[in-house]
């Protein structure tokens, strides 16, 4: 039996910071409201000339280096993003060229903020069926470039980041169980239009800019709490384990209230949960891999630890992965 195991992770966080005081200067809001309703204090913002692949390349290089392999050994590069540089080429091809990963196939996919778990699930299939040995899963987003800065209910939430992981064939236990899913009946709860013309969608945006992000905050919140708790429960059930076996849960960092309600539903306490949303906000698909990379850097994870990574996002989608480090 070949196992799929994360062998290296990396993250990239852009330098510029928007704190809550910045939002007080552009919309009718205040630090107290943002802190109490979201838990977010700061978000990092990509430079005007810095885009998804620029950040993805930086996180990917670190992940490959930490995995102790060469870029030529990668068999596949997949990039999850909702803010691509181009419709074509795929951002994964740009990353492939920058890394010199000449033997890797490359494609992009979109599962919004559930992107990293979806990517791990794809990697796990290719590795366990024996087709590939090393798959690079990289998630990057520049949501701040799609943010409606006239909409006080969304503009305060988002930051930019990239996170990456090399998933390799291993004899050791790695990604034990995954659970991904979607509820397309909630598709209009988070939207950002491409070519489609939709007067109703355009009209409901404060800026009337159809390509900016819009969402029904309360609907997403309700979905998120249940989806994360249920998906985590399912991966544990598949593995015949309980939360007592788990050292750390790394959730999607969308809103402290969502995480708090989800972990109460899971029946666990905050000491078992990795949180960094105060500093970075919601960085879309990059949230989970960049948090994982940070947790590794900070020594929060040791060999043999069991982890749950769990998220939700546009689609509406969800995903959870149970792994042994
Ligand atoms: N500052 C001050 N007031 C604000 C505000 C802000 N930044 N944003 C919204 N408000 C106001 C609203 O206008 C509303 O005022 P009203 O009662 O006079 O109409 C009030 O606060 C409550 O709004 P509501 O939308 O019910 O707040 P909420 O508690 O649901 O919090 C979100 C709003 C967006 C923070 C919250 O719904 C959320 O985080 N949702 C999930 C979003 C998410 O995770 N999306 C990403 C998916 S990957």
């Amino acid at each position: 039996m070949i196992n799929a195991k994360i062998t290296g992770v990396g993250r990239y966080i852009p330098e510029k910071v928007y704190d809550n005081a910045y939002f007080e200067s552009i919309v009718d809001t205040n630090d107290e409201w943002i802190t109490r309703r979201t838990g977010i204090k700061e978000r990092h913002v990509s430079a005007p000339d810095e885009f998804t692949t620029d950040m993805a390349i930086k996180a990917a290089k670190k992940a490959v280096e930490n995995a102790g392999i060469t870029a030529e050994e990668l068999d596949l590069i997949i990039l999850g993003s909702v803010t691509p540089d181009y419709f074509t080429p795929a951002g994964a091809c740009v990353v492939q060229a920058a890394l010199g990963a000449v033997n890797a196939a490359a494609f992009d996919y979109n599962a919004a903020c559930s992107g990293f778990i979806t990517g791990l699930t794809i990697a796990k299939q290719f590795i366990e069926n024996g087709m590939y040995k090393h798959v690079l899963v990289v998630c990057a987003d520049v949501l701040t470039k799609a943010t409606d800065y006239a909409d006080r209910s969304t503009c305060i939430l988002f930051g930019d980041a990239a996170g990456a992981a090399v998933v390799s064939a291993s004899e050791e236990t790695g990604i034990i169980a995954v659970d991904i899913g979607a509820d397309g009946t909630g598709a209009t709860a988070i939207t950002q239009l491409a070519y489609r013309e939709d007067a109703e969608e355009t009209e409901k945006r404060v800026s009337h800019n159809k390509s900016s992000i819009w969402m029904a905050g309360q609907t997403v919140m309700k979905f998120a709490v249940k989806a994360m708790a249920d998906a985590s429960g399912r991966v544990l059930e598949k593995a015949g384990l309980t939360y007592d076996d788990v050292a750390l849960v790394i959730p999607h960092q969308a809103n402290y209230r969502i995480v708090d309600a989800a972990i109460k539903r899971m029946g666990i306490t905050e000491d078992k949960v990795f949180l960094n949303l105060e500093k970075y906000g919601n960085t879309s698909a990059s949230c989970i891999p960049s948090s994982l990379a940070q947790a590794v850097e900070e020594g929060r994870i040791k060999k043999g630890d069991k982890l749950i990574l769990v998220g939700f996002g546009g689609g509406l989608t969800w995903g959870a992965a149970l792994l042994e480090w």
Side-chain angles (χ1 to χ4, degrees), residues 1-5 74-79 105-109 118-137 167-170 175 178:
M1 175 74 189
I2 310 164
N3 298 310
K5 190 172 179 83
L74 288 172
D75 300 301
L76 174 66
I77 297 173
I78 55 177
L79 183 137
F107 63 87
D108 288 1
Y109 64 97
T118 305
L120 288 185
T121 305
I122 296 168
K124 181 171 157 68
Q125 310 314 308
F126 277 119
I127 286 170
E128 288 182 353
N129 73 16
M131 185 161 168
Y132 292 141
K133 283 200 169 63
H134 301 289
V135 178
L136 173 69
V137 181
V167 183
S168 304
S170 174
I175 304 168
V178 286

Side-chain angles (χ1 to χ4, degrees), residues 51-53 79 81-87 89 91 108 140-142 192:
F51 299 94
T52 290
T53 61
L79 183 137
S81 180
V82 291
T83 50
D85 294 14
Y86 318 96
F87 288 125
D108 288 1
D141 265 308
V142 285
Q192 188 194 348

